Amino acid sequence: MIYLDYKKTFDTVSHAKLLQKLRSLKLGEKVTMWIEDYLTDRRMRVNVRGIFSSWAEVLSGVLQGSVLGPLLFLIFVNDLPDWVKCSIKMFANDTKIWVKISQMEDSESLQSDLNQLIQWSQQWLLQFHPDKCKVMHIGHTLDTSCSVTDQGRSHILQTVREEKDLGVYISDDLKPGLQCSKAASKAMSVLRLIKRTFSRIDVDDFKTLYHMYVRPHMEYCVQVWNPYLQ
């Protein structure tokens, strides 16, 4: 399984390329023109200790924190799965691909998909972050190395035994022990914080604090690994 990471994903979405994709979806000229008006004619400058830089045109990026920003980004990357043959899962800018490696041809297929993703990235002006792209070998499989190209240089992906995936710790044995221990450790640290903060506390107040600040750490994405360990 390969965890992929792009450099400054939300900030590097080209407005021209995004509008090109919007027009290909045939949403209607009025909607497309409205979004184009929303994106274009934006300027920015930097203030350092009261001294301003000159104004610069903003030609890329979807506005983070806005309602429309995430939707525009999803539209921008919506065709990415069409470029690969291996299994792929995406959540916003988090992307991972995987394949069962039983022979060398499977490894070559995985690398071929990586090359296709690099080609897609170059076409749509996004860049991989090689140091943050990682490969995980799950189970007793043939070890394989994969590489990505960044600015003409080939980078062998780092092999990891565990990775934090959308807040859940995944290990190469697919056992949830690490996730359980991390969740318990975080919950205990919050309990200690409550103990230090409140010199006197009754049962009802403790229940309120527990359900609000402790229990969410214990139950986050519990559907992924429960029931397994008590």
Side-chain angles (χ1 to χ4, degrees), residues 189-201 206:
S189 68
V190 177
L191 279 175
R192 288 191 290 268
L193 177 62
I194 292 173
K195 185 177 180 181
R196 292 195 305 269
T197 305
F198 298 90
S199 56
R200 297 179 61 184
I201 187 170
F206 176 78

Side-chain angles (χ1 to χ4, degrees), residues 112-163:
S112 175
D113 277 354
L114 269 178
N115 296 339
Q116 285 290 99
L117 293 178
I118 293 170
Q119 183 179 341
W120 180 91
S121 303
Q122 292 171 344
Q123 178 177 333
W124 297 105
L125 305 181
L126 292 180
Q127 286 186 321
F128 279 115
H129 200 307
D131 294 334
K132 293 185 178 180
C133 295
K134 300 172 183 177
V135 58
M136 181 185 293
H137 304 287
I138 297 174
H140 301 287
T141 62
L142 294 171
D143 284 350
T144 181
S145 62
C146 298
S147 61
V148 296
T149 302
D150 177 52
Q151 298 179 349
R153 297 175 57 190
S154 180
H155 298 262
I156 301 297
L157 299 187
Q158 175 188 357
T159 300
V160 295
R161 299 200 60 185
E162 58 192 46
E163 181 69 12

